[in-house]
Amino acid sequence: MDVSEPSGLTQDASGNFLYCVSDPPVNKIHKLDLAGNLIQTLDYVGQDLEGISYDTRDSTIWIVDEAETEITHLTETGQILSQTPINISIPDSKSGLEGICFRSGENDIHVIKQQNPATVVKIDSNLVTLDSKNFDKGIDITGICRGREPDEFLIISAGEKQLYEWTWEGGLLATYNFDVKQAEGVVYDASSSLVYIVCDAESILYTFEFPE
């Protein structure tokens, strides 16, 4: 990928394009084709962009900024619609926000805190922090997206090189192994049953068939 320090990953409503964010020093949003080729870089510049999620209702973008501990809502061209702090304790520099998942059907947002402990935070449609749950495993988590079922999420760990199927009510459902160095972004394409994972360390986009 012609993108430096790629982190979070999401897919647009058409299913033909991906968006990813870059870590420092770039801190920008990039539009890609499904092969990882760079189509466009938006003008918006953040402080430490880690996660991104596409809103299919109105073709807008939600991003999470680790340095600011906040969610930013943007147009598809990168214009700011809102910026909202997240009410969560961050004990150290390695425990910040790492990913975001907007679910249009539920009109809610889930963000993840990387570790100490790894945490999933639920936020309502008014951007009010509702609740949080510690992840089932004592690890780092670095990416989140919608899963195969309406109530499921896919969560990845860079340190463990694993992908987890997880629900808010049921916790951990399944674990899958992959060999990606420093995996920091994930998105699931329901139309093709493919999982895309982006490698921060080597700027590589991986495509996996999701086991039934």
Side-chain angles (χ1 to χ4, degrees), residues 97-160:
L97 300 180
E98 281 287 314
I100 183 170
C101 176
F102 179 83
R103 300 191 301 170
S104 58
E106 303 296 328
N107 290 334
D108 63 19
I109 295 172
H110 290 70
V111 299
I112 55 172
K113 183 171 76 71
Q114 184 171 0
Q115 57 189 4
N116 298 326
T119 306
V120 183
V121 182
K122 181 187 290 187
I123 299 166
D124 70 13
S125 58
N126 295 315
L127 301 181
V128 175
T129 303
L130 294 178
D131 199 2
S132 63
K133 285 193 175 184
N134 292 347
F135 193 65
D136 293 19
K137 299 170 70 69
I139 57 170
D140 71 317
I141 54 177
T142 50
I144 185 172
C145 69
R146 294 183 299 273
R148 290 187 277 199
E149 301 298 331
D151 63 336
E152 287 182 4
F153 298 92
L154 300 183
I155 295 174
I156 56 172
S157 167
E160 300 295 322

Side-chain angles (χ1 to χ4, degrees), residues 18-205:
L18 304 171
Y19 286 87
C20 76
V21 293
S22 290
D23 289 351
V26 177
N27 288 307
K28 287 195 172 185
I29 301 167
H30 311 279
K31 185 177 183 179
L32 316 165
D33 66 18
L34 298 183
N37 298 306
L38 181 63
I39 304 298
Q40 179 186 9
T41 297
L42 307 189
D43 290 335
Y44 177 83
V45 181
Q47 295 296 316
D48 187 359
L49 304 185
E50 292 289 348
I52 183 169
S53 188
Y54 194 89
D55 188 338
T56 57
R57 299 174 307 170
D58 54 9
S59 299
T60 56
I61 294 169
W62 299 86
I63 58 173
V64 67
D65 194 310
E66 183 176 21
E68 301 294 334
T69 316
E70 69 180 12
I71 290 174
T72 299
H73 191 197
L74 302 163
T75 68
E76 200 170 15
T77 59
Q79 303 303 307
I80 297 174
L81 297 172
S82 67
Q83 290 182 300
T84 307
I86 303 303
N87 183 23
I88 185 171
S89 174
I90 305 296
D92 56 66
S93 61
K94 295 184 179 181
S95 302
L97 300 180
E98 281 287 314
I100 183 170
C101 176
F102 179 83
R103 300 191 301 170
S104 58
E106 303 296 328
N107 290 334
D108 63 19
I109 295 172
H110 290 70
V111 299
I112 55 172
K113 183 171 76 71
Q114 184 171 0
Q115 57 189 4
N116 298 326
T119 306
V120 183
V121 182
K122 181 187 290 187
I123 299 166
D124 70 13
S125 58
N126 295 315
L127 301 181
V128 175
T129 303
L130 294 178
D131 199 2
S132 63
K133 285 193 175 184
N134 292 347
F135 193 65
D136 293 19
K137 299 170 70 69
I139 57 170
D140 71 317
I141 54 177
T142 50
I144 185 172
C145 69
R146 294 183 299 273
R148 290 187 277 199
E149 301 298 331
D151 63 336
E152 287 182 4
F153 298 92
L154 300 183
I155 295 174
I156 56 172
S157 167
E160 300 295 322
K161 296 185 178 181
Q162 290 181 328
L163 179 148
Y164 312 102
E165 284 185 290
W166 184 91
T167 68
W168 185 268
E169 297 298 333
L172 184 63
L173 303 179
T175 300
Y176 305 91
N177 298 307
F178 57 76
D179 188 16
V180 175
K181 182 180 180 181
Q182 201 173 335
E184 292 208 1
V186 60
V187 69
Y188 171 63
D189 184 345
S191 66
S192 62
S193 296
L194 296 177
V195 175
Y196 297 90
I197 295 178
V198 70
C199 166
D200 184 309
E202 299 171 329
S203 296
I204 297 174
L205 177 69

